Amino acid sequence: MAGNEEGEEAGETESDKKIGTGRKKIEIKKIENKFSRKVTFSKRRKGLFKKTEKFCQLTDAEIAIIVFSNKGRLFSYGYPSVEHVVNRFLGEQCDDQSDPFSPEEVLEEEPLVGGGEEGYWFEESIDDLDSTKFEEYLCYLECLRKNLVLRVEELIMRRTSEIDFFGGILKLIFHLIY
Amino acid sequence: MAGNEEGEEAGETESDKKIGTGRKKIEIKKIENKFSRKVTFSKRRKGLFKKTEKFCQLTDAEIAIIVFSNKGRLFSYGYPSVEHVVNRFLGEQCDDQSDPFSPEEVLEEEPLVGGGEEGYWFEESIDDLDSTKFEEYLCYLECLRKNLVLRVEELIMRRTSEIDFFGGILKLIFHLIY
DNA sequence: GGCTATATATAACG
DNA sequence: CGTTATATATAGCC
């Protein structure tokens, strides 16, 4: 209330009423001044991450936020973790929720191969393996190929956008070889 | 200025001065009431995404934000795209960008495995194969895994554009399984 | 980094 | 979903 437009003249007898410093509305365009941009980046990034944190604490949502400054520095925050959310995101790519397909999870679970979590990553040559390990290893390779075929076919079947398709493939690859 | 403490009694002759509705400070804990949580989720998500957009427009940063509501709905925003940033993020995980690799073509050539053009696509169970074929098949699977690992690592090392990266992966997959 | 005035986001309500 | 009081974020300056 009582906003006298511009003139800020005379009669400033209040001692604890600092004037002349305040904020202006800025337009949302790239800040050209390098230094100002850096300052704004720092301040707003801090605010953004803080807001992000509050958001997921309040709403119990899973979230990932990844930022690269134009200088290339990486900042990220995630709940429960960036990787978790990113993986879930990549997994969702091949299975749209508007699709009345069977709602079973496609990625994200199943060891895929009989090797358990650690997988089979043998440094030795095949000859060094005893027959049991060898059989397991063979099964692993078998499963690798089969899963590859199945998953790729599955992905092809569904009509997702190209980029989604590729994202799913990438997730698949990592899942299978590591 | 002129904030009369509490008493808001009498003399409310201004017609366009609604009183009595305002906001309280809330504590940052999971909102237990399901409906309130949903409302807060919607409002804050909107605000968060808006802020995110302004942030990257002002500072020219690359950003990805991915949200899953506790009901499982996915929301995301990215500049230049979620996928781009996520991939850059995944790339950073294993290798720092200060590496100027040679720009030679990675894909497009080499049969990759000793199986010849037709590949090995066995319908029969392993037991039905004679020992020679079995060994060949084993070798094929071996090579499949090794090539997968090598190629993916190779692709990750090099900083090619996103679409090239995915395109390469896709070609690789088809090459390996068909 | 801290400060202050102002712009923005948003809780409680209709 | 619109409104309004209030909490928060932050531009400009130190």
Side-chain angles (χ1 to χ4, degrees):
Chain A
M1 57 280 278
N4 50 358
E5 307 278 288
E6 282 283 293
E8 185 60 72
E9 73 273 84
E12 195 61 50
T13 45
E14 283 280 14
S15 60
D16 54 6
K17 181 110 164 277
K18 286 246 195 88
I19 53 126
T21 175
R23 144 178 222 221
K24 266 196 312 201
K25 180 174 183 174
I26 61 170
E27 72 168 330
I28 308 300
K29 289 292 166 204
K30 175 177 175 180
I31 299 171
E32 291 304 335
N33 181 288
K34 229 165 161 25
F35 182 69
S36 295
R37 192 168 61 228
K38 192 173 155 54
V39 172
T40 294
F41 179 85
S42 290
K43 286 188 173 182
R44 282 190 174 243
R45 183 185 59 77
K46 188 159 165 278
L48 190 60
F49 276 55
K50 188 175 174 184
K51 213 164 248 298
T52 301
E53 197 176 343
K54 283 182 180 177
F55 173 71
C56 62
Q57 287 184 81
L58 284 168
T59 66
D60 199 36
E62 293 189 355
I63 198 164
I65 182 168
I66 302 170
V67 172
F68 285 97
S69 75
N70 55 16
K71 199 242 161 205
R73 295 230 309 141
L74 166 64
F75 303 86
S76 66
Y77 171 82
Y79 175 81
S81 79
V82 185
E83 290 75 16
H84 172 85
V85 179
V86 164
N87 285 331
R88 188 172 175 190
F89 174 77
L90 292 172
E92 296 277 314
Q93 300 301 70
C94 49
D95 183 72
D96 230 52
Q97 72 275 26
S98 54
D99 201 332
F101 260 91
S102 60
E104 58 175 335
E105 287 290 322
V106 181
L107 297 173
E108 299 292 357
E109 25 84 26
E110 275 191 78
L112 291 176
V113 292
E117 194 53 55
E118 79 282 6
Y120 287 92
W121 188 272
F122 295 92
E123 295 294 341
E124 322 96 308
S125 92
I126 295 178
D127 308 272
D128 297 336
L129 302 169
D130 62 51
S131 60
T132 307
K133 276 206 168 185
F134 175 73
E135 239 177 280
E136 280 182 1
Y137 182 57
L138 179 62
C139 176
Y140 160 70
L141 292 174
E142 252 300 290
C143 290
L144 171 64
R145 188 185 63 78
K146 281 194 172 147
N147 278 308
L148 254 180
V149 174
L150 285 176
R151 294 309 170 109
V152 169
E153 284 175 346
E154 220 173 89
L155 287 168
I156 292 171
M157 288 292 224
R158 313 189 182 241
R159 306 279 158 195
T160 53
S161 77
E162 190 178 40
I163 198 68
D164 288 348
F165 174 77
F166 285 135
I169 288 282
L170 183 63
K171 173 76 189 336
L172 165 64
I173 298 291
F174 275 91
H175 206 129
L176 286 169
I177 68 175
Y178 289 116
Chain B
M1 50 284 278
N4 50 358
E5 310 277 287
E6 282 283 293
E8 185 60 75
E9 71 272 86
E12 195 61 49
T13 43
E14 283 280 15
S15 60
D16 53 8
K17 182 109 165 277
K18 288 249 197 80
I19 53 126
T21 175
R23 146 184 221 216
K24 265 196 310 200
K25 179 174 184 175
I26 60 169
E27 72 168 330
I28 308 301
K29 289 292 165 205
K30 174 176 176 181
I31 298 171
E32 292 303 335
N33 181 289
K34 231 162 157 32
F35 181 69
S36 296
R37 192 167 63 226
K38 192 173 154 56
V39 172
T40 294
F41 178 85
S42 290
K43 287 189 173 182
R44 284 189 175 243
R45 184 184 58 78
K46 189 160 164 277
L48 190 59
F49 276 54
K50 189 176 175 185
K51 213 161 247 298
T52 302
E53 198 175 342
K54 283 182 179 175
F55 173 71
C56 62
Q57 286 184 83
L58 284 169
T59 65
D60 197 37
E62 292 189 356
I63 199 164
I65 182 169
I66 303 169
V67 172
F68 285 97
S69 75
N70 57 16
K71 199 238 159 208
R73 296 232 310 143
L74 166 65
F75 304 86
S76 65
Y77 170 82
Y79 175 82
S81 79
V82 184
E83 290 77 14
H84 172 85
V85 179
V86 164
N87 286 326
R88 189 173 174 191
F89 174 78
L90 292 173
E92 297 278 315
Q93 299 302 64
C94 47
D95 180 76
D96 239 46
Q97 78 281 21
S98 50
D99 204 336
F101 259 90
S102 60
E104 60 175 331
E105 284 294 322
V106 181
L107 298 173
E108 302 290 0
E109 21 81 27
E110 277 192 77
L112 290 177
V113 291
E117 194 55 55
E118 79 283 5
Y120 288 90
W121 188 271
F122 297 91
E123 294 294 343
E124 320 96 310
S125 93
I126 295 178
D127 308 274
D128 298 335
L129 302 169
D130 64 54
S131 61
T132 307
K133 276 205 168 187
F134 175 74
E135 241 177 277
E136 279 182 2
Y137 181 58
L138 179 60
C139 175
Y140 160 71
L141 291 175
E142 237 323 91
C143 290
L144 169 65
R145 187 185 63 79
K146 281 192 173 149
N147 278 308
L148 252 181
V149 173
L150 285 176
R151 292 309 170 111
V152 169
E153 284 177 345
E154 224 172 83
L155 286 168
I156 291 171
M157 290 291 223
R158 327 209 169 223
R159 300 283 154 190
T160 51
S161 79
E162 182 182 42
I163 198 67
D164 287 348
F165 175 77
F166 283 130
I169 288 283
L170 185 62
K171 277 187 187 166
L172 166 63
I173 298 292
F174 275 92
H175 207 134
L176 286 169
I177 67 175
Y178 288 116

